[in-house]
Amino acid sequence: YVILKEIKTSFKHHWESSIKTSKKLEKYSQVKSQFSREHYLDHVQNYKDRANLTRLRISAHRLEVETGRYKNIPRENRVCAWCELTLDTNSIENEDHLTKECDLYASLRRKLLSKLNHIYSSSNIPTTSSNFSFIEITTNSESTPNNNQIQAMRIIARFLTNCLNSREKFLDSIKVLDLQKQSTGNVLPHASQQCLRRVQCSILLHND
């Protein structure tokens, strides 16, 4: 028992040190403050939803902020493909961009906020996502979660899965358009290409 206790204490100290110093664990350090099992692991029953929530919490995902790290791309250049294409902006594609900002997921985000406001109708849950972290509210509170909190965890986890599915669908649509361009050999001015890709991506996304 004493040895196991010492091992646990040593691991806990290592864990605390790691999340404070690792750039990769930046998001994790924001959402995880205590060494304990998270309630969502027991209450989000759908495996894919639970796995996607975990991936976004610990930055084990394929957003540009993470994949760009392995390609040695400067952080400021790890931008969101959707925003670059449709809005001509260079927003870093990280967890907060996906959950709070990106226009690609605006409809999903509105539906989520509507559901959360319905669940917490008597609480001060914000009606916008600008100052509200969906990932953070899945983190343990000191008490056992009530039914509303469990329902919120499941809804948020499903929202994250839907966002990642939409992202994959969009990236696949870009690949399709690139293949079409290669096969036809059409060469348009950059601005015209960008405009055409915006329209075509929107058609592919809404007609699937």
Side-chain angles (χ1 to χ4, degrees):
Y1 173 78
V2 174
I3 294 176
L4 287 175
K5 186 176 181 180
E6 289 180 354
I7 292 174
K8 182 176 180 179
T9 300
S10 176
F11 180 81
K12 182 178 179 181
H13 289 160
H14 174 72
W15 173 82
E16 291 172 341
S17 175
S18 295
I19 65 172
K20 290 177 182 178
T21 58
S22 173
K23 289 185 178 180
K24 176 180 172 63
L25 296 177
E26 182 179 358
K27 170 53 67 176
Y28 188 57
S29 67
Q30 294 172 9
V31 303
K32 185 75 172 176
S33 59
Q34 55 183 348
F35 187 73
S36 60
R37 181 178 174 83
E38 294 294 336
H39 293 312
Y40 80 86
L41 293 170
D42 298 314
H43 295 292
V44 176
Q45 297 167 328
N46 182 282
Y47 172 78
K48 188 172 183 180
D49 293 349
R50 188 170 65 250
N52 284 329
L53 174 53
T54 299
R55 291 188 183 105
L56 284 163
R57 285 171 58 89
I58 65 175
S59 296
H61 48 64
R62 297 194 60 78
L63 301 183
E64 281 297 318
V65 71
E66 186 60 22
T67 58
R69 183 194 313 278
Y70 306 121
K71 302 173 186 175
N72 293 318
I73 297 174
R75 184 180 177 86
E76 63 271 18
N77 294 334
R78 302 173 197 170
V79 299
C80 171
W82 171 266
C83 292
E84 185 178 33
L85 177 64
T86 63
L87 302 176
D88 201 22
T89 60
N90 295 321
S91 301
I92 297 175
E93 189 190 34
N94 57 22
E95 299 87 356
D96 284 341
H97 180 73
L98 179 137
T99 58
K100 296 181 179 183
E101 302 166 0
C102 188
D103 182 63
L104 177 58
Y105 319 109
S107 176
L108 294 172
R109 200 176 295 117
R110 284 193 297 270
K111 291 176 182 177
L112 171 65
L113 285 166
S114 176
K115 291 177 181 178
L116 290 177
N117 276 284
H118 179 72
I119 293 172
Y120 293 103
S121 57
S122 60
S123 304
N124 294 321
I125 297 295
T127 55
T128 66
S129 60
S130 59
N131 60 343
F132 185 50
S133 173
F134 302 125
I135 297 177
E136 287 178 27
I137 69 169
T138 62
T139 300
N140 276 4
S141 59
E142 301 216 349
S143 57
T144 301
N146 57 39
N147 289 335
N148 283 348
Q149 291 169 322
I150 292 172
Q151 189 177 358
M153 289 178 196
R154 293 172 179 169
I155 290 173
I156 291 169
R158 178 57 53 86
F159 160 75
L160 297 175
T161 293
N162 290 338
C163 285
L164 293 174
N165 287 342
S166 293
R167 179 180 183 271
E168 183 177 356
K169 181 179 173 183
F170 163 64
L171 294 177
D172 285 344
S173 73
I174 290 181
K175 293 176 184 177
V176 170
L177 295 178
D178 286 341
L179 288 173
Q180 290 176 346
K181 186 175 75 171
Q182 290 174 17
S183 64
T184 59
N186 290 336
V187 179
L188 296 172
H190 175 71
S192 299
Q193 288 184 33
Q194 192 174 41
C195 181
L196 179 61
R197 282 161 67 92
R198 290 174 187 171
V199 173
Q200 289 175 320
C201 282
S202 295
I203 292 173
L204 285 169
L205 284 168
H206 289 95
N207 288 345
D208 184 47

